[in-house]
Amino acid sequence: MPPEDPAPTEELLQIQIAIELDRGRKIAEIASEFQVPERQVRNIARSAGLLESKKSSSGRKRLSEEEKEILLGRIEAGEDPGELASGVGIKTSTLLRWCRVKEIEVPRRLEQLSQKERQEIREMLEEYSWKEVAHAYRLSPEALEALKEPAYRKLDSSVLAFLYELFKENPKISDSKVLESAGQLGIEVTKEEVGSYRKRLRDMKRI
């Protein structure tokens, strides 16, 4: 095994060996060329994750067309491509490539949506059917369900009371000022939640 803090020349040697390994050359060839023991080359390969990657790739099974169709159908239904790919032992990029070939749009999960998009979607859901909104924004079922509910409903009563007092005192207070005031008191609240509750109070004509 190489020392933990190798000299520059030895570090350079390890880098050169790793490059050759990544090119797919055999361990014996590299050991002979650089005049080092095969065990040292193998250790470098293991440290770089090259031995494991080759082993895992060779162990992947070839999926039938029927199995591919089932996977693509599950993606269309909103399941995560990364989790599906991991479950069957293929690369996520491979699964996404199949989606492109079949012209399947991968539904977007909640964490893939920006705060601005989440706000837009919630506003759209008040005017249009959930099917139209889901199609327009390519939403997964989980993302749609999460966005159907107003953001402020995740807040507990103490936070809602704090926001209500702020809005009642100054209905035109900016979101940034609200977040600043909340932060000073150690209250965790997002801009999306602030905007959602402000809208709710306006709809109820409380502010």
Side-chain angles (χ1 to χ4, degrees), residues 2-132:
E4 293 184 1
D5 187 18
T9 53
E10 187 171 348
E11 183 177 7
L12 178 60
L13 176 64
Q14 291 185 41
I15 293 172
Q16 291 173 331
I17 290 175
I19 291 173
E20 296 303 318
L21 285 165
D22 194 45
R23 288 174 176 169
R25 294 186 60 190
K26 294 181 179 179
I27 289 177
E29 292 178 357
I30 298 172
S32 175
E33 179 178 332
F34 289 93
Q35 298 182 347
V36 295
E38 289 186 16
R39 183 169 58 182
Q40 182 177 347
V41 178
R42 192 172 289 106
N43 286 339
I44 294 173
R46 186 175 293 109
S47 298
L50 297 173
L51 288 182
E52 288 79 2
S53 63
K54 288 184 178 180
K55 181 179 179 181
S56 62
S57 62
S58 62
R60 294 191 187 105
K61 70 171 186 175
R62 188 177 183 87
L63 299 179
S64 67
E65 288 301 316
E66 183 180 358
E67 289 173 318
K68 290 180 183 179
E69 291 297 330
I70 291 173
L71 285 175
L72 295 177
R74 291 173 67 181
I75 290 176
E76 281 189 296
E79 292 193 48
D80 179 43
E83 293 180 2
L84 288 175
S86 176
V88 297
I90 62 175
K91 293 181 179 179
T92 304
S93 58
T94 299
L95 193 49
L96 293 176
R97 185 172 67 250
W98 294 346
C99 289
R100 288 193 295 271
V101 170
K102 296 289 186 177
E103 297 183 347
I104 293 174
E105 292 188 344
V106 180
R108 301 166 72 195
R109 303 188 305 279
L110 184 64
E111 58 268 25
Q112 294 175 311
L113 300 170
S114 66
Q115 291 294 333
K116 182 179 179 181
E117 286 178 311
R118 295 183 192 189
Q119 184 175 348
E120 288 176 355
I121 291 168
R122 283 195 165 100
E123 292 174 356
M124 294 281 285
L125 285 169
E126 295 180 4
E127 301 181 33
Y128 301 92
S129 72
W130 64 265
K131 288 185 178 180
E132 291 177 301

